């Protein structure tokens, strides 16, 4: 029997659509239990037994420990790196600590400050005994420049090419610019004082003799400074009592060669200013030198092997019989 006949018997519409698909029952994933818990779960079947009721636990609110509010004070400070002996004073807010409260006379001073009227800044600065230093003053680091007295200069540091005034001028620049030699050489502008610069009766100073300043290169400035530093170092600490590091530094400064330093700089400048063709040519020459050295080592090895073969063992017997063809004949 066809499906159309069945529809006629049941009085169904012939153009009815297909039957809706049956919904599949999706089983919820069950937890993978083991042991006794799995057996209890199997007894419950599809309806699991609630053995332990779930209790909602809320997180308790943390009770913060109440602390007293921090106290702040307007404290004066200075910057020792300015070199003005505390003339420039600023103020900033600082948290008051227990050490400040325990300081003798701090409470009485605070009461006096609160009761007294506002006073000028100059008087307040004079009343404060100790001023706090700036936190950034520790970064103001200076280079230790050798110091010398006039007697030490006359006994150890006299030079035919340098005067004491020019040496002092150089040491001042070194101390000011912290051994930055390019800056020192750029700022070096020593002008010697005039000789016999007294004016005549009519006020004419044209007869004054002004020495011509000697042009100084960076290598000359370095040589003079290292010479003074090495001599003052040996004067303060004899060479036999120096440590290993001090002796190495002393020898480095004492053996400074300005000509070698100048040649080194010229070589560096020439190396940086060469063209690409010159660099390629230099590279090819280096490859050729390596090849020549390799061939030379091989040749020396072969010559050494030949000498070993030509060498013969020495003997104490007479070998005159073997120096002619007669000694080489053998009896048959």
């Amino acid at each position: 029997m066809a499906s159309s006949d069945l529809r006629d018997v049941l009085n169904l519409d012939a153009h009815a659509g297909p039957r809706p698909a049956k919904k599949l029952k999706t089983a919820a994933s069950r937890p993978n239990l083991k042991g006794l818990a799995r057996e209890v779960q199997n007894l419950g079947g599809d309806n699991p037994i609630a053995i332990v009721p779930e209790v909602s636990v809320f997180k308790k609110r943390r009770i913060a420990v109440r602390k007293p509010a921090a106290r702040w004070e307007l404290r004066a400070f200075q910057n020792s790196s300015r070199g003005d002996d505390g003339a420039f004073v600023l103020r900033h807010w600082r948290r008051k600590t227990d050490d400040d409260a325990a300081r003798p006379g701090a409470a009485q001073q605070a009461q006096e400050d609160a009761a007294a009227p506002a006073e000028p800044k100059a008087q307040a600065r004079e009343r404060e005994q100790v001023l706090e230093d700036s936190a950034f003053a520790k970064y103001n680091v200076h280079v230790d420049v050798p110091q010398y007295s006039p007697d030490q200069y006359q006994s150890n540091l006299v030079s035919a090419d340098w005067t004491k005034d020019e040496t002092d001028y150089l040491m001042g620049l070194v101390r000011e610019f912290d051994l930055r030699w390019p800056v020192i050489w750029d700022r070096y502008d020593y002008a010697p004082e005039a000789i016999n610069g007294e004016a005549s009766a009519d006020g004419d100073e044209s007869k004054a003799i002004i020495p011509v300043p000697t042009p100084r290169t960076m290598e000359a400035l370095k040589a003079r400074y290292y010479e003074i530093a090495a001599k003052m170092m040996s004067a303060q600490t004899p060479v036999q009592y120096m440590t290993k590091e001090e002796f190495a530094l002393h020898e480095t400064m004492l053996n400074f060669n300005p000509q070698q330093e100048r040649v080194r700089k010229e070589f560096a400048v020439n190396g940086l200013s060469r063209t690409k063709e010159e660099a390629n040519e230099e590279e090819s020459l280096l490859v050729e030198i390596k090849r020549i050295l390799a061939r030379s080592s091989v040749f020396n090895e072969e010559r050494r092997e030949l000498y070993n073969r030509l060498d013969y063992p020495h003997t104490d017997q007479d070998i005159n019989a073997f120096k002619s063809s007669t000694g080489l004949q053998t009896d048959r």
Side-chain angles (χ1 to χ4, degrees):
M1 183 180 292
S3 60
S4 59
D5 298 336
L6 292 176
R7 292 179 182 278
D8 293 339
V9 173
L10 298 176
N11 295 325
L12 296 177
D13 188 5
H15 301 286
R19 297 178 62 183
K22 188 176 181 180
K23 294 183 179 180
L24 299 177
K25 186 177 181 181
T26 57
S29 60
R30 303 175 65 180
N32 186 13
L33 302 178
K34 295 181 180 180
L36 182 61
R38 183 181 61 183
E39 300 297 335
V40 173
Q41 185 182 25
N42 293 336
L43 291 176
D46 295 336
N47 299 323
I49 302 173
I51 301 175
V52 180
E54 296 182 0
V55 180
S56 299
V57 179
F58 296 96
K59 187 176 181 181
K60 295 182 179 180
R61 183 178 180 182
R62 297 179 59 184
I63 301 176
V65 180
R66 296 184 177 275
K67 296 182 179 180
R71 295 182 177 274
W72 295 77
E73 62 177 350
L74 190 62
R75 191 179 302 174
F77 72 97
Q78 63 178 353
N79 193 345
S80 59
S81 60
R82 291 176 55 87
D84 53 359
D85 297 333
F88 185 70
V89 179
L90 298 175
R91 295 178 182 272
H92 59 177
W93 288 100
R94 283 292 189 182
R95 186 189 297 269
K96 185 179 292 186
T97 59
D98 297 338
D99 298 338
D100 298 335
R103 187 176 52 191
Q108 182 180 0
Q109 184 68 27
Q111 294 177 1
E112 293 178 359
D113 294 343
E119 56 183 355
K121 293 183 179 180
Q123 297 179 4
R125 184 169 61 250
E126 293 176 359
R127 185 170 54 86
E128 292 176 352
Q129 297 180 358
V130 180
L131 293 178
E132 179 186 0
D133 199 3
S134 175
F136 299 95
K138 60 182 179 181
Y139 300 108
N140 186 31
V141 181
H142 295 282
V143 179
D144 294 334
V145 179
Q147 305 288 338
Y148 51 85
S149 61
D151 296 336
Q152 291 177 341
Y153 183 87
Q154 293 296 332
S155 59
N156 298 324
L157 307 178
V158 175
S159 175
D161 196 22
W162 288 78
T163 61
K164 186 178 184 302
D165 294 337
E166 189 173 3
T167 303
D168 296 341
Y169 178 77
L170 173 62
M171 290 299 168
L173 289 181
V174 171
R175 186 181 300 104
E176 182 179 359
F177 298 111
D178 296 333
L179 281 177
R180 297 182 179 92
W181 289 110
V183 182
I184 295 173
W185 177 74
D186 181 69
R187 300 296 179 87
Y188 193 87
D189 188 16
Y190 175 72
E193 297 181 357
I195 302 176
N196 192 17
E198 298 180 358
S200 58
D202 54 355
D204 186 13
E205 296 183 357
S206 59
K207 297 182 180 180
I209 301 175
I210 301 177
V212 179
T214 305
R216 303 293 185 182
T217 60
M218 188 185 301
E219 291 76 18
L221 300 180
K222 286 184 178 181
R224 180 57 175 169
Y225 173 77
Y226 292 147
E227 178 187 1
I228 294 176
K231 290 183 178 180
M232 293 305 301
M233 188 175 181
S234 60
Q236 295 176 359
T237 305
V239 179
Q240 59 270 19
Y241 297 111
M242 290 183 181
T243 61
K244 184 177 180 180
E245 293 77 10
E246 292 176 350
F247 181 75
L249 178 60
H250 178 266
E251 290 297 318
T252 302
M253 294 188 298
L254 192 62
N255 299 327
F256 177 75
N257 189 356
Q259 298 297 332
Q260 183 179 359
E261 181 71 9
R262 182 180 57 81
V263 172
R264 183 189 66 82
K265 289 183 178 180
E266 291 179 355
F267 182 79
V269 170
N270 294 333
L272 294 175
S273 60
R274 61 182 179 177
T275 60
K276 186 176 181 180
E277 291 76 10
E278 294 175 350
N280 295 335
E281 182 180 0
E282 182 178 354
E283 185 177 359
S284 62
L285 291 176
L286 291 177
V287 172
E288 184 67 19
I289 290 175
K290 290 181 180 179
R291 187 179 63 83
I292 293 174
L293 292 177
R295 291 180 57 186
S296 176
S297 62
V298 173
F299 177 75
N300 293 335
E301 186 66 25
E302 293 178 353
R303 183 170 57 180
R304 189 179 301 107
E305 183 180 358
L306 180 60
Y307 286 164
N308 292 334
R309 290 187 177 185
L310 294 178
D311 193 11
Y312 58 91
H314 297 279
T315 179
D316 297 336
Q317 299 178 1
D318 187 13
I319 61 173
N320 292 325
F322 299 97
K323 292 183 178 180
S324 61
S325 59
T326 306
L328 298 178
Q329 296 178 0
T330 57
D331 297 335
R332 293 183 180 179

